[in-house]
């Protein structure tokens, strides 16, 4: 793959497919990590005299404009980070986009409105996607792919557009791929994987691969309860995917046969009610053994004994990949498990990778120093699919 250092960008209109898909509370950005991650690539292009056109999706609008998903707040924040004015186009390929991009001078930056306001961006019809990509290509001379969080999507701006323009990878994607290669090709052992999050089905494919590669797999979050159910335990009203129990049983058996430690919670925090994440009112959870969850209660975080156990299992690691929180980290009464795992990663001498998504958000929300981790990915789904061994459309399109 070519990098941006291989491109002659001075005076050229450079289309940067970024990932500005940040969480919003109204028009307030609650986590700007993805904007900060792509800013160095944009700044480098600015310094070299490019006319930079930044494009991204945000949320899941239905192929038409929706003010709730406007990229205007992200454009404003990008300007603050870059320390310069950033123009904003009120559409993707319409009159505003054409006017704003045509008016750029060397070293200036513009952001297009949410790409998913156009149905062609996410269409499964190759012709419809291609037509939108042609319109986007008309705005620019060169293409830089730097939205790692979207490279697993076969979308117009990710897959079809780089085929229509001279292209290269941005510094963020180059870094992300380099890190993931360390998790697949050059692993320092013991290799420990910590998986959490809500649904076990979201992680089954990566667990299937990791049983062949990891030395130890720690499971928390909502997905743990399907594994606990597979072991015959009562899980009360905890999040459960009953149809995945047979698969979990199979994975537990495979891990044992291969000598891979598959570690489940030994205690959990439970409550009869889900916590109020707006008011953060005290939840007063109970701590129970993982095999003694009351029938009328829900597991919402790993307990103190499990936190100690997982910290011990991470202490001697050579490489750690962590994807998914251990509980409902957004509420202070259920943040302790996620906090304990994050702290264990910091205390470990291992090369540590935080696999994007909610894990990255949790690290920032809980006040950890991001630079203390080996790497914090900007793409949870993309990271998982890479580790599953899948071909990622957005990376394939950037090959020479």
């Amino acid at each position: 793959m070519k990098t941006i250092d291989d491109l002659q960008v001075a005076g050229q209109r450079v289309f940067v497919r970024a990932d500005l898909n940040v969480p919003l509370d109204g028009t307030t950005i609650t986590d700007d990590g993805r904007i900060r991650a792509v800013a160095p690539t944009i700044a480098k292009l600015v310094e070299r005299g490019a006319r930079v056109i930044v494009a991204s999706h945000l949320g899941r609008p239905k192929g038409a404009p929706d003010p709730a998903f406007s990229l205007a707040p992200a454009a404003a924040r990008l300007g603050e980070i870059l320390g310069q004015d950033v123009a904003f186009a009120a559409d993707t390929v319409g009159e505003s986009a054409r006017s704003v991009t045509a008016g750029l001078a060397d070293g200036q930056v513009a952001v297009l409105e949410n790409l998913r306001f156009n149905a062609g961006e996410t269409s499964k019809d190759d012709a419809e996607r291609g037509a939108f990509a042609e319109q986007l290509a008309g705005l620019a001379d060169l293409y830089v792919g730097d939205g790692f969080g979207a490279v697993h999507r076969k979308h117009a701006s990710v897959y079809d557009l780089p085929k229509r323009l001279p292209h290269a990878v941005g510094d963020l994607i180059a870094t992300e791929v380099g890190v993931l290669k360390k998790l697949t090709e050059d692993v320092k052992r013991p290799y420990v994987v910590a998986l959490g999050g809500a649904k076990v089905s979201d992680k089954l494919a990566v667990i299937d691969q990791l049983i062949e590669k990891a030395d130890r797999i720690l499971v928390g979050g909502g997905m743990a309860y399907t594994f606990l159910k597979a072991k015959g335990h009562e899980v009360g009203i905890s999040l459960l995917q009953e149809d995945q129990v047979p698969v979990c049983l199979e994975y537990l058996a495979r891990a044992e046969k291969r000598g891979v430690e598959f570690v489940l919670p030994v205690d959990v925090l439970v409550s009869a009610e889900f916590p109020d994440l707006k008011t953060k009112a005290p939840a007063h959870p109970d701590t129970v053994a993982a095999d003694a969850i009351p029938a009328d209660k829900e597991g919402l975080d790993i307990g103190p004994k499990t936190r100690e156990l997982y910290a011990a299992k991470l202490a001697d690691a050579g490489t750690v990949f962590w994807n998914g929180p251990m509980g409902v980290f957004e509420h202070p009464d259920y943040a302790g498990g996620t906090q304990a795992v994050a702290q264990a990663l910091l205390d470990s001498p291992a090369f540590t990778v935080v696999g994007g998504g909610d894990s990255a958000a949790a690290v920032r929300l809980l006040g950890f120093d991001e630079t203390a981790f080996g790497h914090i990915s900007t793409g949870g789904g993309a990271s998982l699919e890479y580790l599953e061994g899948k071909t990622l459309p957005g990376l394939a399109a950037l090959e020479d």
Side-chain angles (χ1 to χ4, degrees):
M1 291 184 186
K2 288 183 179 178
T3 70
I4 56 175
D5 295 327
D6 298 316
L7 297 178
Q8 297 297 319
V9 301
Q12 299 293 295
R13 296 170 301 160
V14 181
F15 188 104
V16 178
R17 199 341 177 153
D19 180 8
L20 308 181
N21 185 26
V22 292
L24 293 172
D25 182 1
T27 59
T28 301
I29 297 170
T30 57
D31 181 359
D32 67 355
R34 284 175 168 162
I35 303 175
R36 288 186 287 108
V38 75
T41 292
I42 297 168
K44 181 185 283 190
L45 292 168
V46 165
E47 290 169 10
R48 293 173 56 194
R51 304 176 181 192
V52 185
I53 303 162
V54 183
S56 175
H57 71 285
L58 190 151
R60 296 180 182 272
K62 305 299 183 183
D66 183 340
F69 297 105
S70 175
L71 275 172
R77 180 65 185 129
L78 177 61
E80 292 171 357
I81 293 169
L82 294 175
Q84 68 180 77
D85 290 337
V86 168
F88 182 66
D91 53 31
T92 55
V93 290
E95 182 179 343
S96 179
R98 292 192 298 271
S99 173
V100 168
T101 56
L104 289 174
D106 295 358
Q108 291 187 333
V109 180
V111 173
L112 303 181
E113 184 55 283
N114 192 338
L115 291 167
R116 291 186 183 175
F117 285 1
N118 189 304
E121 170 67 1
T122 59
S123 175
K124 290 183 169 33
D125 181 82
D126 291 348
E128 186 177 9
R129 274 201 333 275
F132 183 46
E134 286 286 351
Q135 290 180 289
L136 291 171
L139 302 176
D141 306 303
L142 304 170
Y143 177 94
V144 171
D146 215 28
F148 182 72
V151 293
H152 58 315
R153 306 295 187 191
K154 193 176 181 180
H155 291 169
S157 66
V158 176
Y159 178 75
D160 302 272
L161 180 56
K163 296 182 175 184
R164 290 164 164 79
L165 292 171
H167 54 262
V169 297
D171 290 349
L172 175 59
I173 281 187
T175 298
E176 295 271 14
V177 171
V179 166
L180 290 171
K181 283 184 176 179
K182 287 188 178 182
L183 297 180
T184 54
E185 300 173 9
D186 184 24
V187 181
K188 183 179 178 182
R189 297 188 180 276
Y191 180 17
V192 183
V193 177
L195 296 175
K199 294 182 179 179
V200 69
S201 58
D202 292 343
K203 306 281 168 54
L204 285 177
V206 76
I207 293 172
D208 183 55
Q209 292 294 315
L210 290 170
I211 287 175
E212 306 298 319
K213 298 171 182 174
D215 300 298
R216 204 175 289 152
I217 299 173
L218 318 179
V219 176
M223 63 182 287
Y225 301 101
T226 303
F227 279 101
L228 291 171
K229 183 72 171 182
K231 291 180 71 81
H233 301 322
E234 168 67 58
V235 297
I237 57 172
S238 304
L239 191 62
L240 173 66
Q241 290 185 276
E242 191 84 48
D243 60 324
Q244 303 298 336
V245 167
V247 185
C248 291
L249 270 172
E250 178 198 338
Y251 286 175
L252 291 168
R254 272 181 56 204
E256 184 175 8
K257 185 176 180 180
R258 289 191 57 82
V260 176
E261 281 190 78
F262 207 104
V263 190
L264 297 174
V266 295
D267 63 344
V268 295
L269 301 188
V270 299
S271 175
E273 295 181 352
F274 196 83
D276 188 325
L277 300 183
K278 284 194 175 290
T279 66
K280 305 288 198 302
H284 307 297
D286 297 321
T287 302
V288 300
D291 60 357
I293 298 174
D296 63 344
K297 292 194 175 180
E298 176 179 13
L300 295 164
D301 194 14
I302 57 173
K305 290 181 180 178
T306 305
R307 297 170 196 176
E308 291 180 14
L309 173 65
Y310 285 11
K313 296 294 184 182
L314 291 163
D316 67 343
T319 304
V320 178
F321 175 69
W322 172 33
N323 182 282
M326 296 291 109
V328 186
F329 71 92
E330 300 92 340
H331 192 285
D333 288 347
Y334 300 107
T338 302
Q339 191 157 12
V341 168
Q343 187 61 52
L345 263 65
L346 293 184
D347 294 340
S348 169
F351 175 65
T352 57
V353 179
V354 180
D358 285 342
S359 312
V363 163
R364 289 188 278 268
L365 179 67
L366 298 175
F368 287 96
D369 178 4
E370 294 177 65
T371 63
F373 297 88
H375 179 70
I376 296 181
S377 179
T378 56
S383 296
L384 290 175
E385 291 198 17
Y386 189 101
L387 294 181
E388 289 166 24
K390 290 184 177 180
T391 297
L392 305 187
L395 295 184
L398 292 169
E399 296 286 352
D400 296 332

